[in-house]
Amino acid sequence: MKHLSNEKFTQLRFGLSAFSIVILMMSVLFIGFKGFNWGLDFTGGVVAEVQLDTELADGQIKSHLDQALGQDVQLIKSMESGQWTIRYNHEGVSDTSIADYLTPISETVNILSSSIVGPQVGQEMVEQGGLAVLVCMLLIMCYLSVRFDWRLASGAILALFTDIIIVLGVFAVFQLEFNLTVLAALLAVLGYSLNDSIIIADRVREVMRLKPKGETETIINDAVKATFSRTLVTSGTTLVTVSSLWLLGGASLQGFSIALCVGIVCGTCSSVALGVTLPQLFGLKPADYIVTPIDVEETYS
């Protein structure tokens, strides 16, 4: 990266920025046309704890219930042998007890507990979750507007917005279940992307103060190159950890880890490209950071 010429590095930044905008627009279209596969946390459903034959495997139970109930059933293994937690949407399902669906594959079927989460609770979760994201974005905008020049702040905000929409677009395209753990991952992506954007923006501002007569394009490229190794190491180690959650965490953490993986990749690309390219297009220049001396005697005279 450091060996790239200034012109090629600028082309790379603009190319990544254009690619991010294209993916952003496609994500918006998929979200609008396909929507989300809301989880039981948002739609309501039935949560049942059952005791089955100990020799039954999770794949055998899930495939049978998926076919019997006509939906993607959530199956979580409990600590006790033979105990399972089953979650499914009760809409479109007959009033038959879950025990009747499990009898063909298990001789022992004991319903330990069963509860219904109504759709009103799901609606409250949607409203509270959306409000949390909006408040988070508003506070970030206020902070960046005070911390940096409005052009650097606009680049960071666009990068954050792009990261979130692309993650949502992935869930819309593949119709992955959207639940509260995914919402928590979105908030984590906001913080992660914001951290990268602030570090790069702070470096840009620092170099511009040191080189007040330098060219904006060169200064931005130098700032990104100076922080690239740090960004790569941080993103790489975090991605390895989150990938481990994806592979080993099981179904309960799958949506959370997928959202974080996509968010880390998008956040890294947007921070080093879109977040600093937009300020350049808005006319950011080193002269904006020249400190004007103040005549103290004249001020207090």
Side-chain angles (χ1 to χ4, degrees):
M1 183 67 67
K2 291 184 178 180
H3 299 290
L4 288 177
S5 64
N6 186 65
E7 182 180 356
K8 290 184 178 179
F9 195 84
T10 301
Q11 293 176 353
L12 178 61
R13 283 196 297 108
F14 275 84
L16 283 176
S17 300
F19 179 74
S20 299
I21 294 299
V22 171
I23 298 299
L24 171 64
M25 296 175 64
M26 293 177 60
S27 299
V28 172
L29 291 177
F30 280 117
I31 293 172
F33 285 104
K34 300 192 68 172
F36 297 111
N37 177 22
W38 298 105
L40 297 180
D41 295 327
F42 296 99
T43 62
V46 178
V47 179
E49 293 186 7
V50 299
Q51 175 77 43
L52 304 176
D53 294 339
T54 56
E55 63 271 12
L56 288 175
D58 55 350
Q60 181 180 358
I61 301 174
K62 179 173 172 53
S63 60
H64 172 75
L65 290 177
D66 286 350
Q67 183 176 4
L69 297 175
Q71 58 182 279
D72 185 14
V73 177
Q74 295 182 16
L75 183 67
I76 303 174
K77 184 175 178 58
S78 302
M79 298 297 295
E80 298 293 333
S81 177
Q83 288 189 12
W84 304 86
T85 300
I86 302 173
R87 306 179 67 184
Y88 61 95
N89 192 342
H90 63 280
E91 294 184 3
V93 179
S94 63
D95 294 334
T96 305
S97 172
I98 188 65
D100 296 332
Y101 291 105
L102 293 170
T103 301
I105 61 172
S106 177
E107 295 182 359
T108 302
V109 180
N110 294 325
I111 306 300
L112 303 179
S113 64
S114 180
S115 59
I116 298 178
V117 180
Q120 182 61 36
V121 176
Q123 182 63 30
E124 292 179 1
M125 290 181 179
V126 172
E127 295 175 355
Q128 294 174 359
L131 180 61
V133 174
L134 290 177
V135 170
C136 183
M137 291 291 292
L138 180 61
L139 293 177
I140 289 172
M141 290 177 63
C142 294
Y143 168 76
L144 292 177
S145 298
V146 175
R147 172 76 172 171
F148 298 107
D149 179 271
W150 69 270
R151 284 159 289 199
L152 284 174
S154 63
I157 290 297
L158 180 59
L160 291 177
F161 182 77
T162 301
D163 298 338
I164 295 300
I165 296 299
I166 290 178
V167 173
L168 293 176
V170 170
F171 275 79
V173 170
F174 297 102
Q175 287 296 289
L176 301 173
E177 182 182 354
F178 193 98
N179 50 35
L180 287 180
T181 59
V182 177
L183 179 61
L186 288 178
L187 297 178
V189 169
L190 277 176
Y192 187 90
S193 180
L194 177 63
N195 181 60
D196 269 353
S197 299
I198 288 178
I199 289 176
I200 296 176
D202 190 61
R203 183 60 177 172
V204 170
R205 182 179 59 177
E206 179 184 351
V207 176
M208 284 188 169
R209 286 176 175 174
L210 293 175
K211 300 178 180 179
K213 296 183 179 180
E215 295 183 359
T216 302
E217 177 182 306
T218 304
I219 290 176
I220 290 178
N221 290 340
D222 291 342
V224 174
K225 291 178 182 179
T227 57
F228 185 76
S229 58
R230 174 262 167 206
T231 301
L232 189 62
V233 170
T234 304
S235 300
T237 53
T238 309
L239 194 59
V240 169
T241 304
V242 176
S243 299
S244 300
L245 284 177
W246 188 354
L247 297 175
L248 305 175
S252 59
L253 291 177
Q254 185 178 25
F256 178 81
S257 54
I258 290 176
L260 281 181
C261 283
V262 176
I264 289 172
V265 175
C266 294
T268 302
C269 293
S270 62
S271 297
V272 301
L274 192 61
V276 290
T277 301
L278 185 64
Q280 180 181 346
L281 296 177
F282 280 167
L284 181 68
K285 55 186 180 297
D288 298 326
Y289 288 99
I290 296 178
V291 179
T292 304
I294 300 175
D295 191 338
V296 179
E297 294 182 359
E298 183 179 348
T299 302
Y300 290 97
S301 60

